[in-house]
């Protein structure tokens, strides 16, 4: 312990930029091999595993791993240790680290509110664009804005007046810039604080996402009159490099239909995205133009006469709705005259999302719109995976993400700006649902213990299922409305399973991305047709990680709710099992009430009390017959028959029973039958209960309930044995405890 104290002493307090950085020493095999990974254990707190482990110097079974923590929170270290302790097998006492944390000076928090999330991987912000000149000239600008913004905790809530569904929908984002706030403000709050970090070797990417006409280009590229973020950042960077130690180069490219084109080299626009032997991404054929003054940059970036225009050939043949990227490379020059890349800043103006089912398109535009939406979907899958700290990020599904892979990984920061049209636009609402889902992700502590648990329980009946991300419990209201309106009543209940769908990996329809593409391939322009891979960009986010809290073993008090939630709330006395003759009595009125409440939900599973009644009847059948002890003593065959009558599911015993063991044998058989019946009923309940009923069970709750519904979609009866419950992330012990509590409650 003494040696460990020295290693983790406050001397190891480092400064990384303005942020304090604590290096702690944690002996945990769960962190071995996770070097470079970020671990976040609360909204604001995260740490980076600075070095991997290995056998402890002094031998023994200890593994060691340095964890470098970057934080502005005084108590972060102890919180981190607590979260590790939740996972178990955490070798060193968390108290030790609490002591270290307490001995450090509290860090300053002088950063602006809007950049409070700088340590976070992905910051989700929104901008409600101002009215365009055209809109100002028309009546449109005088109509009521469909978006209201409210403060909510650390972030803000956007409320949309959905004129289609006549509903108000609320979505969370980190911050929202209003119509009267200009691009310069976004620059000083969101971009400027990152510039120094890029000079210190980090990468920063700013992505503008939104429906068409949301103001993405206005924000990123701007114009000569209204400077966009690209111009503002270059101005600031050029001021910073005035000392002469750095040089700046820029690349501008677009991703059009899964092909990357260099916008600064009209002769050879196609860029190859390759990976070198060190798995570093190379953009072969992409020009990097040195920039020394703002004027030079302006010519490249803004001027219509610049090379920053699609080549003539492409302009004539293809409609240009594409993702555009500005890449600013900062290079450090050494004395020998050679330069080395220090950091990158990327500004991405994504093509606008447009629901092609709502809008009418001709074949070419439909195809184009479909491809754009697919590529947006793929990019969001990547951002989602990064934000959720998932072990697999589906870079290969998105050409743009692949081209930017170096900037996304490691010590990088991503901001997603959702550009909103203030006028009513269903596509805008759709894009915000996506923003909100990204925002709701709570990245998890990644540890092999949790992984192991998930992996070991990853199959039901030999089938492998992918768990939905824990945050994926919101359904796009627009989609829900559309889908529901086309479904018969009976199907609507089942449709609620969509709630638990993977964030960006559910059917595209659920995400509003599904596009019908009649004769799409035939309409593809020749230039790209043969090269376009026919892959579906929808990716199931890899969800190996599991939230530590979900690993927590149910306490007795928790699990006691299982039964109490199952029995009808009124007449609890009736529902409890006191004696053989007092088996659960389910109040008929209650059943009727529950059934009435489900009338609108034809096809939904029977109410919980009906299921409980079935369970009670089974138990009654088993326990109402007096124990046949005397008969057992008289005739073995008679005993076996009586057992068979009571428990038709129990295999017939054909061998001769030893009379001396008969009594206990019969009892244990009876008990096992009872157990079987109870288990079967419980499983039947899980296989058929409605989402609301499932949510009521302690240990199941909302996320597991929606996951159960999803499993049921794949297989009508996903739970065949108690082992299958482990698919829900419950350990065998937790399942056993749940069952014990059910029984205990029945007989209490
Ligand atoms: N903040 C703003 N203030 C005033 N006008 C704006 C603002 N943002 C955008 N506009 C105007 O709104 C219109 C659409 O903006 P812009 O072209 O940037 O949208 P976009 O999201 O890039 O569209 P697309 O998806 O089609 O590329 C333009 O006329 C632009 O001048």
């Amino acid at each position: 312990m003494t040696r460990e104290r020295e290693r983790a002493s406050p001397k190891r307090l480092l400064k990384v930029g303005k942020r304090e950085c604590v290096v702690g020493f944690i002996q945990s095999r769960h962190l071995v091999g996770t070097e470079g990974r970020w671990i976040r254990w609360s909204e604001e707190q995260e740490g980076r595993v600075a070095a991997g482990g290995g056998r402890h110097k002094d031998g023994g079974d200890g593994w060691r791993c340095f964890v470098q923590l970057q934080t502005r929170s005084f108590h972060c270290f102890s919180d981190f240790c607590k979260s590790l302790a939740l996972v178990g097998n955490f070798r060193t006492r968390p108290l030790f680290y609490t002591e270290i944390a307490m001995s450090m000076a509290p860090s300053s928090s002088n950063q602006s509110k809007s950049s409070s999330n700088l340590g976070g991987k992905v910051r989700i912000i929104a901008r409600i664009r101002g009215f365009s000149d055209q809109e100002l000239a028309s009546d449109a600008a005088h109509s009521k804005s469909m978006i209201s913004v409210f403060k909510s905790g650390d972030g803000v809530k956007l409320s949309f007046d959905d004129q289609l569904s006549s509903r108000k929908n609320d979505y969370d984002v980190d911050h929202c810039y209003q119509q009267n706030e200009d691009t310069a403000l976004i620059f000083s709050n969101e971009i400027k604080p990152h510039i120094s970090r890029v000079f210190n070797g980090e990468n920063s990417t700013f992505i503008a996402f939104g429906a068409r006409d949301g103001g993405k280009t206005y924000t990123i590229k701007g114009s000569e009159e209204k400077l966009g973020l690209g111009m503002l950042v270059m101005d600031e960077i050029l001021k910073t490099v005035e000392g002469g130690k750095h040089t700046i180069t820029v690349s501008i490219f677009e991703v059009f239909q899964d092909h990357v084109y260099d916008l600064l080299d009209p002769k050879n626009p196609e860029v190859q995205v390759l990976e070198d032997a060190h798995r570093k991404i190379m953009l072969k054929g992409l020009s990097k133009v040195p920039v020394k003054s703002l004027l030079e940059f302006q010519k490249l970036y803004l001027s219509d006469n610049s090379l920053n225009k699609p080549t003539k050939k492409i302009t004539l043949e293809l409609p240009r709705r594409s993702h555009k990227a500005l890449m600013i490379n900062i290079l450090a020059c050494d004395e020998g005259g050679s330069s080395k890349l220090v950091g990158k800043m990327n500004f991405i103006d994504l093509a606008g999302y447009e629901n092609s089912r709502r809008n009418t398109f001709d074949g070419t535009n439909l195809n184009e719109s479909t491809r754009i939406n697919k590529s947006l979907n793929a990019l969001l899958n990547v951002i989602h995976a990064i934000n959720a700290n998932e072990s697999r990020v589906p870079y290969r599904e998105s050409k743009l993400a692949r081209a930017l892979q170096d900037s996304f990984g490691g010590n990088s920061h991503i901001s997603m700006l959702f550009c909103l049209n203030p006028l009513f636009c269903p596509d805008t609402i759709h894009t915000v649902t996506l923003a909100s889902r990204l925002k709701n992700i709570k990245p998890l502590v990644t540890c092999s213990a949790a992984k192991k648990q998930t992996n070991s329980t990853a199959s039901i009946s030999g089938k492998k299922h992918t768990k939905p991300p824990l945050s994926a419990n919101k359904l796009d209201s627009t989609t829900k409305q559309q889908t529901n309106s086309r479904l018969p009543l009976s199907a609507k209940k089942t449709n609620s399973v969509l709630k638990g769908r993977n964030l960006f990996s559910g059917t595209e329809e659920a995400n509003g991305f599904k596009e019908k593409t009649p004769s799409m391939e035939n309409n593809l322009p020749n230039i790209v047709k043969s090269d376009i891979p026919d892959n579906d960009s929808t990716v199931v986010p890899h969800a190996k990680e599991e939230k530590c809290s979900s690993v927590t073993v149910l306490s007795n008090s928790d699990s006691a709710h299982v039964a109490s939630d199952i029995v009808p709330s009124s007449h609890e006395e009736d529902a409890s099992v006191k004696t053989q003759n007092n088996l659960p009595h389910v109040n008929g009125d209650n059943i009727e009430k529950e059934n009435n409440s489900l009338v609108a939900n034809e096809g939904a599973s029977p109410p919980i009390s009906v299921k409980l009644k079935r369970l009670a009847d089974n138990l009654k059948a088993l326990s109402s017959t007096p124990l046949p002890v005397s008969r057992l003593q008289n005739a073995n065959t008679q005993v076996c028959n009586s057992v068979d009558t009571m428990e038709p599911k129990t295999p017939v015993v054909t061998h001769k029973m030893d009379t001396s063991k008969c009594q206990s044998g019969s009892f244990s058989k009876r008990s096992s039958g009872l157990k079987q019946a109870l288990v079967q009923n419980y499983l039947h309940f899980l296989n058929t209960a409605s989402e609301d009923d499932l949510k009521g069970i302690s240990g199941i709750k909302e996320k597991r309930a929606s996951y159960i519904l999803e499993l049921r979609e794949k297989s009508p009866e996903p739970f065949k044995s108690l082992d299958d419950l482990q698919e829900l992330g419950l350990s065998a012990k937790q399942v056993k405890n749940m069952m014990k509590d059910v029984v205990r409650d029945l007989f209490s």
Side-chain angles (χ1 to χ4, degrees):
M1 178 62 93
T2 321
R3 195 185 329 109
E4 285 164 2
R5 268 176 196 280
E6 279 165 19
R7 280 182 183 156
S9 72
K11 267 184 249 165
R12 290 179 179 271
L13 186 72
L14 306 178
K15 292 262 179 189
V16 175
K18 281 184 183 169
R19 308 179 65 224
E20 292 192 348
C21 177
V22 184
V23 177
F25 177 71
I26 289 181
Q27 278 188 304
S28 166
R29 62 172 63 223
H30 300 314
L31 296 172
V32 170
T34 58
E35 304 94 278
R37 292 287 301 279
W38 283 87
I39 303 169
R40 190 184 284 185
W41 59 95
S42 75
E43 191 71 22
E44 284 253 302
Q45 298 171 350
E46 63 184 358
R48 190 163 66 85
V49 181
R55 286 272 164 199
H56 195 283
K57 255 188 202 165
D58 305 330
D61 64 349
W63 289 72
R64 69 178 187 183
C65 191
F66 283 100
V67 174
Q68 183 182 358
L69 296 172
Q70 292 193 351
T71 178
R72 290 184 300 282
S73 162
F74 186 53
H75 292 290
C76 80
F77 213 111
S78 62
D79 285 352
F80 175 62
C81 294
K82 276 180 209 153
S83 66
L84 269 185
L86 272 182
V87 176
N89 286 342
F90 179 50
R91 199 165 174 270
T92 316
R93 282 187 310 130
L95 177 65
F96 168 57
Y97 294 104
T98 314
E99 287 161 10
I100 299 165
M102 295 305 284
S103 67
M104 289 181 305
S107 51
S108 60
S109 57
N110 55 356
Q111 299 201 30
S112 72
K113 179 78 191 135
S114 55
S115 59
S116 64
N117 208 27
L118 285 176
K121 196 76 176 170
V122 182
R123 180 167 159 82
I124 310 296
I125 43 178
R127 178 187 199 182
I128 305 169
R129 73 158 168 81
F131 290 116
S132 66
D133 295 340
Q134 256 180 333
E135 286 161 352
L136 283 172
S138 71
D139 284 347
H142 305 295
S143 59
K144 192 173 158 261
S145 169
M146 73 156 176
I147 313 167
S148 325
V149 183
F150 305 98
K151 185 114 193 63
S152 156
D154 283 347
V156 295
K157 214 174 250 314
L158 301 177
S159 179
F160 284 81
D161 210 349
D162 188 341
Q163 292 165 17
L164 279 185
S165 65
S166 325
R167 266 191 315 216
K168 282 221 178 265
N169 300 305
D170 293 345
Y171 304 98
D172 290 319
V173 293
D174 287 320
H175 188 73
C176 179
Y177 291 90
Q178 309 252 17
Q179 279 187 284
N180 56 350
E181 293 177 313
D182 64 3
T183 311
L185 182 71
I186 301 179
F187 169 74
S188 57
N189 285 345
E190 306 292 339
I191 314 286
K192 207 171 166 186
H194 289 287
I195 294 178
S196 59
R197 298 176 74 184
V198 175
F199 275 88
N200 283 328
E202 294 186 18
N203 296 320
S204 169
T205 302
F206 193 91
I207 303 170
F209 182 93
R212 290 194 78 173
D213 280 344
K216 298 177 291 295
T217 310
Y218 183 97
T219 306
I220 299 282
K221 190 173 178 182
S223 60
E224 280 173 28
E225 300 81 47
K226 297 270 177 200
L227 295 187
L229 293 174
M231 287 294 290
L232 293 168
V233 78
M234 183 55 82
D235 186 31
E236 188 67 25
I237 287 175
L238 289 170
K239 279 182 201 156
T240 314
V241 297
E242 262 166 13
K245 279 187 187 163
H246 294 91
T247 55
I248 308 297
T249 65
V250 297
S251 303
I252 302 171
F253 62 90
E254 69 173 347
V255 180
F256 176 69
Q257 297 199 345
D258 271 338
H259 290 249
V260 180
Y261 297 98
D262 187 351
L263 294 182
L264 295 180
D265 181 0
K267 284 188 202 132
N268 187 20
E270 174 101 45
V271 175
Q272 303 291 325
V273 182
L274 304 169
E275 202 176 75
D276 70 9
H278 307 289
R279 313 203 70 182
K280 208 171 165 305
I281 296 297
M282 292 186 310
L283 298 175
K284 194 178 164 204
L286 181 68
S287 23
K288 290 179 179 171
V289 179
V291 169
K292 290 202 176 69
S293 71
L294 196 60
L295 199 64
E296 263 178 42
F297 177 68
Q298 188 177 330
K299 274 186 195 158
L300 282 176
Y301 194 47
L302 294 186
S303 165
D304 280 345
N305 301 322
S306 76
L307 298 174
N308 178 16
K309 278 200 310 185
T311 56
K312 201 177 171 198
K313 183 178 161 214
I314 295 171
T315 315
L316 290 175
E317 290 183 5
L318 302 172
R320 305 307 292 182
R321 273 183 69 207
S322 58
H323 311 309
K324 298 200 176 56
L326 163 69
M327 195 180 261
I328 302 174
N329 304 299
I330 293 165
L331 303 119
C333 319
D334 63 17
E335 284 158 6
S338 58
S339 49
K340 194 174 160 241
L341 183 69
V342 176
K344 278 185 210 171
M345 280 196 115
N346 305 305
F347 291 85
I348 316 298
D349 174 9
L350 292 173
Y353 168 76
E354 189 165 37
N355 187 337
S356 48
R357 275 185 297 168
R358 238 189 313 264
N359 307 317
T360 44
F361 288 108
D362 61 34
T364 314
N365 287 341
L366 177 66
N367 167 49
E368 182 194 66
S369 184
T370 303
R371 284 186 172 274
I372 286 171
N373 292 351
K374 278 192 169 189
S375 68
L376 291 172
N377 198 11
L379 180 73
L380 286 172
N381 277 334
V382 169
I383 305 289
H384 170 265
I386 292 170
N387 207 21
N389 205 12
E390 285 176 8
S391 54
R392 181 185 170 269
V393 180
Y395 286 115
R396 282 173 195 276
E397 311 292 335
S398 160
K399 198 58 164 235
L400 179 61
R402 187 94 173 114
L404 298 171
Q405 189 171 335
D406 284 351
S407 306
F408 284 169
N411 221 1
S412 60
H413 179 84
I414 301 169
S415 291
M416 289 283 285
L417 176 76
F418 283 75
C419 297
L420 312 177
N421 187 336
L423 301 173
F424 177 70
C425 168
D427 290 344
T428 300
I429 300 179
H430 177 75
T431 57
V432 178
T433 59
L434 301 181
S436 179
R437 288 172 188 180
L438 279 174
K439 168 83 181 111
N440 285 339
I441 293 169
K442 295 271 181 284
L444 311 174
V445 172
T446 310
C447 53
S448 50
K451 269 187 197 171
K452 199 173 145 198
Q453 189 187 8
T454 319
N455 288 345
S456 67
T457 60
S459 70
I460 288 184
S461 316
K463 269 190 236 157
K464 186 137 183 149
H465 297 288
T466 310
K467 286 190 181 188
L470 294 171
S471 60
N473 53 4
K474 270 195 177 179
L475 177 68
D476 165 17
S477 57
T478 321
T479 315
K480 190 159 62 179
Q481 187 214 0
Q482 287 168 353
T483 322
N484 277 353
S485 64
R486 284 195 296 271
L487 288 172
L489 256 185
S490 55
K492 281 188 180 178
K493 185 78 184 173
T494 330
N495 194 36
S496 66
V497 74
L498 290 174
K499 275 187 173 180
R501 194 174 294 288
N502 287 346
L503 184 60
F504 300 112
S505 66
T507 61
E508 288 177 13
E509 194 163 359
N511 289 330
F513 278 136
K514 180 134 187 161
E515 313 291 342
K516 288 216 168 67
T517 55
S519 56
M520 181 197 300
E521 293 305 319
N522 294 341
N523 288 324
L524 271 179
N526 289 339
I527 188 166
V528 289
K529 185 177 176 181
S530 59
D531 291 327
I532 293 172
D534 192 20
N535 61 336
D536 190 327
S537 61
T538 306
V539 178
V540 178
H542 206 70
K544 275 187 181 172
E545 291 88 0
E546 182 144 340
K547 210 168 193 171
C548 282
S549 58
S550 69
V551 179
T552 318
V553 177
L554 282 175
S555 69
N556 280 347
S557 59
D558 275 349
S559 37
H561 294 145
V562 173
S564 63
D565 286 346
I566 290 173
V567 291
S569 56
S570 61
H571 304 287
E572 271 179 38
E573 286 262 306
D574 291 344
S576 65
V577 182
K578 284 182 178 165
T579 64
Q580 286 178 5
N581 295 330
N582 248 351
L583 282 166
H585 166 74
V586 179
N587 188 316
D589 292 348
N590 283 346
I591 297 177
E592 205 170 305
K593 235 185 263 170
E594 287 175 9
N595 283 338
N596 285 343
S597 73
L598 287 171
V599 164
N601 251 326
E602 198 189 328
S605 63
I608 194 164
S609 47
V610 172
K611 290 171 188 304
L612 190 80
K613 192 168 186 302
R614 270 188 225 146
L615 175 64
D617 288 343
N618 281 355
L619 288 170
K620 212 179 225 170
L622 287 167
S623 29
S624 58
T625 318
L627 286 173
V629 177
S630 56
R631 277 185 289 158
L632 286 169
Q633 283 163 345
N634 295 335
N636 293 341
T637 47
Q638 201 180 339
V639 172
C640 295
N641 283 344
S642 77
V643 170
D644 289 346
T645 321
M646 285 187 292
E647 300 165 28
K649 283 178 193 164
T650 309
V652 177
V653 180
T654 50
H655 66 274
K656 275 204 161 189
M657 290 174 76
D658 179 357
T659 320
S660 60
K661 291 175 188 164
C662 196
Q663 191 173 333
S664 62
S666 163
F667 182 73
S668 77
K669 199 181 288 178
R670 183 184 306 280
S671 318
S672 85
L674 194 69
K675 194 169 137 190
Q676 279 257 337
L678 183 75
V679 167
Q680 285 311 318
N681 274 284
Y682 192 70
L683 294 173
H684 180 69
F685 174 71
L686 292 179
N687 283 329
T688 53
S690 68
E691 191 177 12
D692 284 346
D693 288 349
L694 288 169
K695 271 188 221 161
I697 301 178
S698 172
I700 299 292
K701 306 269 168 61
E702 208 166 291
K703 281 159 192 165
R704 285 200 175 109
S706 33
Y707 183 49
I708 289 173
L709 293 180
E710 191 166 308
L711 289 175
R712 278 199 223 148
E713 255 202 349
K714 293 171 188 164
S715 145
E717 212 176 296
F719 304 107
K720 292 195 173 66
S721 76
L722 284 184
D723 287 352
D724 292 342
L725 294 189
Q726 293 184 15
E727 171 68 9
L728 301 175
L730 296 165
S731 68
K733 198 175 167 193
Q734 283 175 308
V735 172
K736 205 170 161 187
N737 283 343
M738 271 171 73
M739 293 313 299
K740 273 186 191 168
D741 287 326
V742 171
V743 174
R744 192 181 309 128
D745 267 66
L746 275 174
F747 290 96
S748 64

